[in-house]
Amino acid sequence: MIRRLELLGRFSLDSQSAGVDSGEVWSSCIAPFMQELSAEPTAFLADLRALIQGEQGGWATLGAAHLIWEVRGGDAVHLPAALPFIDGGIDFKLSRGLPTASLTGYEMQRLVQRREAGG
């Protein structure tokens, strides 16, 4: 699972350089988790958080945030259990020196929420 999330993270950041077919990303990194993330998001996200807790580098965290967005769409920024993943993805990008222009729409939405909340 960690490898799939890392692959998804790399693909979501730069699909051209990831060297992976988008169909493969869908079939191996997103589709297998759609039902569980849709049906039981809180339980799935708790398990996912435990899985990537010791992750090094941030790629799996970025991949987890992307997975949540792919399955939950705009609802993702309203799921409290999803916010640590989205925040982790944002922090990962910014810590690599990427400009805020590199953030996706949902990441920008969340960044604005964090700033408005004083975080």
Side-chain angles (χ1 to χ4, degrees):
M1 177 79 174
I2 288 286
R3 179 169 147 36
R4 290 178 186 183
L5 291 172
E6 288 173 352
L7 178 65
L8 183 56
R10 291 178 190 279
F11 183 83
S12 71
L13 186 62
D14 185 358
S15 61
Q16 299 300 316
S17 298
V20 181
D21 176 63
S22 61
E24 180 183 337
V25 169
W26 174 259
S27 65
S28 67
C29 300
I30 298 170
F33 310 106
M34 287 189 69
Q35 183 176 353
E36 189 175 355
L37 183 51
S38 294
E40 298 290 335
T42 303
F44 182 85
L45 294 173
D47 290 345
L48 190 58
R49 188 165 177 79
L51 178 70
I52 65 170
Q53 192 164 8
E55 182 233 354
Q56 300 294 317
W59 289 109
T61 299
L62 183 62
H66 192 75
L67 171 64
I68 294 164
W69 173 257
E70 286 291 330
V71 175
R72 300 299 302 209
D75 184 42
V77 295
H78 303 291
L79 286 172
L83 298 180
F85 298 100
I86 296 170
D87 290 344
I90 293 167
D91 295 342
F92 172 77
K93 286 181 173 182
L94 297 179
S95 73
R96 296 178 69 83
L98 296 172
T100 55
S102 71
L103 299 177
T104 65
Y106 74 91
E107 289 168 333
M108 279 302 300
Q109 181 181 354
R110 177 61 185 152
L111 186 60
V112 168
Q113 287 175 345
R114 285 176 27 179
R115 288 181 176 166
E116 288 175 351

